[in-house]
Amino acid sequence: MHQDLQGDATATTEGAGARTGDGADATGDNAATGDHAATGVRRPKRRLRTILISAGLGLTLVAGGGAAAYHYGLFSDIGDPVSFGKPQPAASAASHVGPGVLMPTGPKASFVRTSRLPDGTQIAKTTLTGKKSGFTGDVWVWVPKEYDDPAYADSAFPVLISLPGGRGYPTNYWGTGPGLGLQQAVSDGAKSGKSLPFILVMPVINADTKHHFDGSDIPGQPRMGTWMAEDVPDFAKANFRTFTSRDGWAFMGSSSGGFGALKHVLKYPDRFKAAIASGVDVVPDSPLWKGNTQAMDENNPEKLAAKLIAGGGPDVYVNFQIGTKETGREKAERFMKDYGKGPVHTRLQVIQDGEHNGKSYVRGMREGALEWISKVMSAPTPKPRPAPSGGASGAASR
């Protein structure tokens, strides 16, 4: 997995580039200000130019309204508190909830907005202290537009826990780098009807920047396995409308995050049904195990798959992804040959010209991986539309 880190670092850089474009412009303006300060004779011209630009901008805002204001970054709401879902009276909400739907259990987390996407959806962040793991880390969340649609007010939504590669701490590039396109891919898939409108929950996966914890409870180390498999789902249930069955729960991840996605679905098939595992290793390799073979075996996807096959299920679905410009395809194909049988259903999404980075893996998700896992997951259900009224008025309306 250590070789994989470089590729995931590329994805992180791309995400950072998407975030810091405005920052780069600001730096350029600051540099210009410095030059003008050094040549005092140019200040009057700069002031005049500033007045003219301000006047022009004012006219633009009058003509274009709030959208223009946000375009120019005058009224940025990044860092503001944000909530998800429209509040409903408890009695009313409970009376309309169907079977298999779990309304938010609380307590509600405090979210701050970190990104606003062109379609109006937003990414927000909170800090979570896991009651079961004892670990404290940041979690980013995103919900599709359908989540706030009144037609879906009583419906659960499937959750896709999205794990990064690279350091995986203190950030998760799926949450901090919307330019990678994960949220847009989910939106577009739902709009086309090819895939589901997943809630994305994006936690950190490591406890520091120096070590990899294999998404596991390594003896003597922070309990990162419990954090991802128990605390993060409990957090999602506390804050969002989710499904009570495993049919509404899946993982996705790249590189070391892909290893975690694969492992959690195989280790806890009673809780999670599917995974998208991109550019992934299939065995634990953190030096923190220190030769603890028994603990490693309990977190080894190969051994977990063999155990699941021997026990006859339940069925799980794993979509591997690999780019043609990265290594590791043979590992995925060997795993599929040896363990893709019985209750372990596997598929390989080959990404032409794909590299070991987030943008390539999102392209693979668009090209088939999201659609494939969506077919085995539970979908949100809108409220039935009122039947057309009968009689003369009904005929007139038609």
Side-chain angles (χ1 to χ4, degrees):
M1 260 182 239
H2 301 296
Q3 183 178 358
D4 292 343
L5 301 184
Q6 183 176 0
D8 278 321
T10 302
T12 306
T13 301
E14 290 167 350
R19 298 193 310 278
T20 57
D22 291 341
D25 291 342
T27 302
D29 288 340
N30 290 339
T33 303
D35 289 341
H36 295 163
T39 57
V41 295
R42 297 180 63 184
R43 284 182 178 175
K45 289 185 178 181
R46 184 177 186 274
R47 287 173 184 158
L48 177 60
R49 184 177 64 181
T50 300
I51 293 171
L52 293 174
I53 291 174
S54 299
L57 180 55
L59 291 174
T60 302
L61 295 181
V62 171
Y70 276 104
H71 174 76
Y72 286 98
L74 296 185
F75 307 124
S76 174
D77 55 4
I78 302 306
D80 287 352
V82 63
S83 60
F84 296 96
K86 297 179 180 179
Q88 291 181 295
S92 173
S95 65
H96 293 92
V97 172
V101 177
L102 179 66
M103 300 301 281
T105 61
K108 288 186 176 181
S110 297
F111 294 102
V112 295
R113 186 179 294 108
T114 59
S115 297
R116 185 182 286 278
L117 279 64
D119 64 357
T121 59
Q122 50 199 343
I123 301 173
K125 182 183 77 169
T126 191
T127 299
L128 171 67
T129 296
K131 292 184 178 180
K132 297 176 180 177
S133 69
F135 175 75
T136 298
D138 287 341
V139 181
W140 288 258
V141 297
W142 174 87
V143 301
K145 293 187 72 172
E146 291 82 356
Y147 190 83
D148 286 323
D149 186 333
Y152 291 91
D154 302 321
S155 176
F157 278 72
V159 176
L160 188 61
I161 302 174
S162 306
L163 308 179
R167 292 176 176 174
Y169 180 90
T171 62
N172 178 324
Y173 55 63
W174 297 120
T176 59
L180 294 175
L182 175 60
Q183 292 79 13
Q184 193 62 53
V186 173
S187 291
D188 291 346
K191 186 176 181 180
S192 69
K194 291 183 177 180
S195 55
L196 298 180
F198 290 95
I199 294 172
L200 301 180
V201 179
M202 301 161 279
V204 297
I205 65 169
N206 288 313
D208 57 46
T209 59
K210 298 179 180 179
H211 305 97
H212 278 269
F213 296 82
D214 281 343
S216 304
D217 289 355
I218 299 177
Q221 301 295 331
R223 301 175 63 193
M224 302 312 295
T226 298
W227 158 260
M228 279 178 271
E230 298 190 49
D231 289 330
V232 170
D234 286 348
F235 156 81
K237 294 172 186 176
N239 288 278
F240 303 102
R241 304 189 302 273
T242 58
F243 286 100
T244 57
S245 79
R246 74 190 192 104
D247 293 348
W249 295 86
F251 276 92
M252 66 79 67
S254 56
S255 193
S256 55
F259 172 86
L262 172 65
K263 189 209 71 168
H264 289 309
V265 168
L266 293 172
K267 188 171 184 176
Y268 304 109
D270 57 326
R271 305 181 201 171
F272 311 105
K273 192 172 186 180
I276 299 174
S278 306
V280 63
D281 275 347
V282 295
V283 294
D285 66 356
S286 171
L288 296 175
W289 292 107
K290 298 180 179 178
N292 191 327
T293 304
Q294 179 180 348
M296 289 182 70
D297 287 349
E298 293 172 354
N299 293 276
N300 186 328
E302 293 182 342
K303 295 185 180 296
L304 293 169
K307 180 180 178 180
L308 191 58
I309 293 168
D315 292 271
V316 295
Y317 299 80
V318 178
N319 195 130
F320 290 102
Q321 293 199 126
I322 199 76
T324 58
K325 291 187 176 181
E326 64 174 319
T327 61
R329 178 172 178 173
E330 68 284 351
K331 295 178 183 178
E333 290 178 333
R334 184 169 61 248
F335 185 97
M336 294 171 66
K337 178 181 177 182
D338 294 342
Y339 304 105
K341 61 187 71 173
V344 182
H345 306 270
T346 60
R347 175 181 181 270
L348 179 62
Q349 180 79 38
V350 178
I351 307 164
Q352 292 300 319
D353 297 319
E355 300 176 342
H356 191 88
N357 61 48
K359 283 191 174 181
S360 291
Y361 298 141
V362 169
R363 178 157 60 86
M365 293 172 72
R366 285 181 173 276
E367 292 173 355
L370 269 176
E371 181 178 2
W372 190 72
I373 69 164
S374 292
K375 291 178 180 178
V376 300
M377 304 289 293
S378 291
T381 305
K383 297 177 182 179
R385 293 183 178 180
S389 57
S393 60
S397 65
R398 289 193 293 272

